[in-house]
Amino acid sequence: IQNIFFEASEICASKYSGIPAVAMGHLFTAGIETSDSEREIQIGNLAAFEASRFGSYFSYIALGHIHKPQRVSAAVPTFYSGSPLPLSFSERKDEKRILLLDTENSWEPLSIPVPSFRS
């Protein structure tokens, strides 16, 4: 995984120098909180990827697979937006959201709550 992100950053730096790059991934990172609706793809999160290994080249990293919205501790803004709808009872207290990235102003996304129409 680290090599893929590194190779992608090298391609971006050589072919698109000066243009901000956004990376995406569908994986578990170490230290995140899961809910009951995610499938365990490894035992005890042993294969969790350390976010520091994403590097510092990208301007923003958008991650998926984890349904609970949360920030990941990394060198650049890195977020799981989470699922827009609760997918298990363990998610009933999560504030579901979408993230709006206004790159003209900041690489910190604006969190927009998704209304809940049913408990």
Side-chain angles (χ1 to χ4, degrees):
I1 295 170
Q2 180 177 349
N3 288 343
I4 294 296
F5 280 92
F6 176 75
E7 289 170 14
S9 70
E10 291 288 302
I11 291 168
C12 290
S14 67
K15 291 188 176 188
Y16 308 103
S17 177
I19 298 175
V22 174
M24 296 182 286
H26 190 261
L27 61 135
F28 280 91
T29 56
I32 49 95
E33 294 181 47
T34 61
S35 64
D36 292 340
S37 58
E38 283 103 15
R39 287 191 205 140
E40 284 291 325
I41 57 174
Q42 74 274 331
I43 297 170
N45 219 8
L46 293 175
F49 184 73
E50 290 291 332
S52 63
R53 295 167 54 195
F54 286 124
S56 60
Y57 177 80
F58 298 103
S59 299
Y60 182 85
I61 301 173
L63 298 175
H65 190 67
I66 304 302
H67 300 164
K68 183 177 179 129
Q70 57 200 291
R71 182 185 195 115
V72 176
S73 180
V76 299
T78 304
F79 289 85
Y80 285 100
S81 60
S83 62
L85 301 169
L87 299 172
S88 75
F89 289 114
S90 68
E91 298 178 33
R92 69 186 172 279
K93 293 182 181 177
D94 293 352
E95 182 182 307
K96 298 303 184 176
R97 68 179 184 190
I98 59 171
L99 297 177
L100 176 64
L101 196 57
D102 180 357
T103 60
E104 301 243 347
N105 294 316
S106 171
W107 288 99
E108 290 292 325
L110 175 65
S111 181
I112 301 172
V114 173
S116 175
F117 298 104
R118 187 172 104 181
S119 299

